[in-house]
Amino acid sequence: MILAVASGKGGTGKTMLATSLALSVADAQYIDCDVEEPNGSLFLHVNIQTHQPVGIPVPRIDKDRCSLCGLCSEACEFNALAQSKTHVLVFADLCHGCGVCSYVCPEDGAITETERRIGMVETGVFQDMNTHDVLFSQGRLDVGELMATPLIKAVRKTSDPARTVIIDAPPGTSCPLVETVRGVDYCLLVTEPTPFGLNDLELAVGVMRLLSLPFGVIINRSDSGDNQVKNYCQLEGIPVLMEIPFRRDLAEAYSKGIPFVQIDERYRTLFQQMVVKIRQELEL
Amino acid sequence: MKIIVTSTGDGMNATVDPHFGRCSYFAIVDTESGDFEAIANQYKDAAGGAGTKAAQFIIDKGVGALLTGHCGPKASEVLDDTDIQIVSGINKGTVMEAVNAFKEVGRGQGGGQGGNR
């Protein structure tokens, strides 16, 4: 089973939740898909064993073979190609590596694709003292790099079907989130009971419904803010799977990189029960 | 000579738009015939690469000069090996005023060579 922990709004507690969830279920694999700022390793102190560079194919134009027909720059959806009077210019940082330019090019050998590195996929194993080991992988986008989605695709490929896979999703509701949750079995949407939390939860729910993904809501710092998130979930028939009240001891543990299930063991059981419930709902 | 002015509206009295790639309109003025045309910028809201596409657009329009506030590095690279004169730093005034000022300078210099890049 693949569970994604997503949110819409940033800073609601995705990583706090995903890491503790991974420590609570048997045979877990934790995958950090927040490749722009992966921070799951602050809580799961892992010895990284493999580093795999990831690149995307970008076009290189052979000036002598290019007939300046203009088809490639016209076809490029990301404006990564521009044509002047004398040659075609490639702006590699805008290129998504889709390959449409070489597809439409009528000239033999005018466009060749070369690999441009965008980041790394790193894997390791986390040894938990109390329970079992947790497989760990993360994507790490190179500094200054914009193309998160091809790296997310690569890090998603590390998922082990024999494990309960917990994916830590990037915030927001744009391409990186969509790429992260594509094909997962269930999505946990973490939110907070504030107007901002509700606004972004509604956006995330919109994505879930467009992708026809089953999902439920976890309310973090549930004793702060107002009742709007709960009312919204009730009105929309969205299950609230867990509420985590704000606690100073949990926040202090967080600030030291300690997963909160190590402070309050009862949450392990709550997470296990939640996963059982989700499995039943999905009939997995 | 045809020149392009980045503009906030579709008339000669519209204020110039200091942005190049993400301007609202391209005002195309023929300095000899006085012909005027304003074309909405279809790349205004592009996620990325608005400048590169806008630069290619003005190359395709066959103009001799571009009057704008600021031309970004990618757009400048596309325009680099063309003989389009780029006059940047035009951040206020109307399209008409920009065109008139450009014509004045051109007369003073005896033909628009150079320009401040």
Side-chain angles (χ1 to χ4, degrees), chain A residues 4-284:
Chain A
V5 182
S7 71
K9 185 181 177 302
T12 55
K14 281 181 299 302
T15 299
M16 177 184 108
L17 220 114
T19 48
S20 275
L21 177 59
L23 292 173
S24 303
V25 298
D27 296 323
Q29 179 184 24
Y30 170 89
I31 302 181
D32 201 339
C33 281
D34 188 4
V35 301
E36 287 174 78
E37 37 196 2
N39 61 350
S41 59
L42 296 178
F43 301 92
L44 304 174
H45 308 278
V46 183
N47 282 324
I48 299 293
Q49 287 152 345
T50 69
H51 306 260
Q52 184 68 41
V54 175
I56 57 169
V58 297
R60 187 159 57 192
I61 316 280
D62 185 336
K63 248 178 120 171
D64 299 328
R65 296 191 183 192
C66 173
S67 60
L68 293 174
C69 69
L71 286 176
C72 59
S73 60
E74 202 182 304
C76 180
E77 194 63 32
F78 307 104
N79 304 334
L81 293 166
Q83 187 172 320
S84 73
K85 284 268 184 272
T86 53
H87 63 291
V88 174
L89 290 96
V90 180
F91 295 97
D93 58 335
L94 297 175
C95 176
H96 284 227
C98 74
V100 76
C101 50
S102 23
Y103 180 77
V104 299
C105 179
E107 305 300 332
D108 191 34
I111 298 181
T112 46
E113 288 176 351
T114 56
E115 180 129 318
R116 187 174 72 85
R117 190 192 130 128
I118 56 166
M120 300 272 268
V121 169
E122 300 172 328
T123 64
V125 181
F126 175 80
Q127 308 285 352
D128 187 14
M129 286 173 294
N130 304 324
T131 52
H132 11 67
D133 62 338
V134 175
L135 292 188
F136 178 96
S137 46
Q138 67 180 6
R140 190 178 284 284
L141 199 64
D142 286 345
V143 172
E145 196 52 60
L146 299 171
M147 297 302 147
T149 49
L151 183 56
I152 291 169
K153 204 174 271 183
V155 70
R156 275 283 314 263
K157 282 197 183 129
T158 62
S159 86
D160 180 344
R163 296 264 177 162
T164 300
V165 181
I166 315 286
I167 297 181
D168 197 349
T173 47
S174 60
C175 298
L177 173 75
V178 173
E179 189 61 52
T180 299
V181 300
R182 195 196 293 272
V184 304
D185 295 305
Y186 196 91
C187 234
L188 300 164
L189 299 180
V190 191
T191 190
E192 58 182 30
T194 64
F196 286 129
L198 175 63
N199 180 76
D200 290 5
L201 173 65
E202 286 182 36
L203 295 174
V205 166
V207 174
M208 297 300 123
R209 288 182 172 157
L210 269 175
L211 297 175
S212 305
L213 284 174
F215 64 95
V217 163
I218 293 178
I219 305 176
N220 193 15
R221 298 188 284 266
S222 57
D223 52 348
S224 63
D226 54 35
N227 277 325
Q228 286 188 63
V229 166
K230 267 182 151 170
N231 294 344
Y232 165 77
C233 290
Q234 198 167 21
L235 210 67
E236 294 283 325
I238 299 166
V240 176
L241 302 168
M242 192 184 279
E243 292 180 44
I244 305 170
F246 177 78
R247 268 170 51 185
R248 189 177 171 94
D249 59 340
L250 301 188
E252 277 178 11
Y254 178 90
S255 74
K256 292 171 190 154
I258 301 167
F260 74 98
V261 287
Q262 290 178 0
I263 303 298
D264 190 339
E265 295 281 335
R266 287 173 304 175
Y267 275 104
R268 284 188 205 265
T269 320
L270 290 172
F271 277 132
Q272 285 157 7
Q273 287 167 350
M274 182 184 78
V275 171
V276 168
K277 235 176 93 180
I278 291 170
R279 271 187 203 279
Q280 281 168 351
E281 191 190 317
L282 297 174
E283 293 171 349
L284 283 171

